[in-house]
Amino acid sequence: MTVALSLAIVAGVLAIATALGLLLRSRTGRARVVTSRGSDATTVTDLADREAFGTAATLLQFSTPTCARCPATARQLDAVAASKSTTAGGPARVRRLEIDLAERPELARRFDVMQTPTVLLVDGTQTVRARFGGPPRQSELIAALDAVLTEEHP
């Protein structure tokens, strides 16, 4: 093998790796709308007591103890939930619920969690409406949440 061929192979591998990295990076934090309703992977009623969920929406965060981005994501989701939950004295319209996958690893397979944090946007009937792989992009999170809240009260 010549030096030129070796360099061409290395350059090709680097180009492919860079393209894949950029593709994955562009998809991280983007909302994916969930359309299939009624299946086990799109309902979350069995994950917590009814009181743990918001009356209109829940931001369900899957985390692990070793996740470096999970604490910042939790703060982001708490802030968004607080800004959208404007009921005086009543139950919260929007809440954040965190599930530790180290304690419940079977949920990773059920919800196809490939990275933490993974955030599911759940409506008032505990049906998954959108999912975010990685920390959600603020604008997409708010747009998806507003869509769910608008459907509840047009």
Side-chain angles (χ1 to χ4, degrees), residues 27-34 41-42 44 47 53 57-64 67 69-81 94-101 107-108 111-123 127-138 140-145 148:
R27 296 185 72 192
T28 297
R30 295 212 181 261
R32 279 192 343 198
V33 176
V34 178
T42 60
V44 296
L47 297 186
F53 293 96
T58 303
L59 301 167
L60 177 62
Q61 177 182 347
F62 290 109
S63 302
T64 57
C67 173
R69 300 181 298 175
C70 290
T73 300
R75 289 189 298 274
Q76 173 194 18
L77 297 179
D78 282 338
V80 169
V94 180
R95 288 193 177 183
R96 180 186 67 89
L97 176 61
E98 189 166 356
I99 305 277
D100 185 348
L101 290 177
L107 296 178
F111 291 99
D112 196 27
V113 176
M114 302 301 285
Q115 64 179 325
T116 55
T118 291
V119 177
L120 302 180
L121 172 58
V122 180
D123 66 14
T127 301
V128 178
R129 301 292 301 279
R131 70 180 287 135
F132 300 84
R137 295 180 184 198
Q138 185 80 1
E140 292 197 25
L141 174 65
I142 291 173
L145 183 56
V148 168

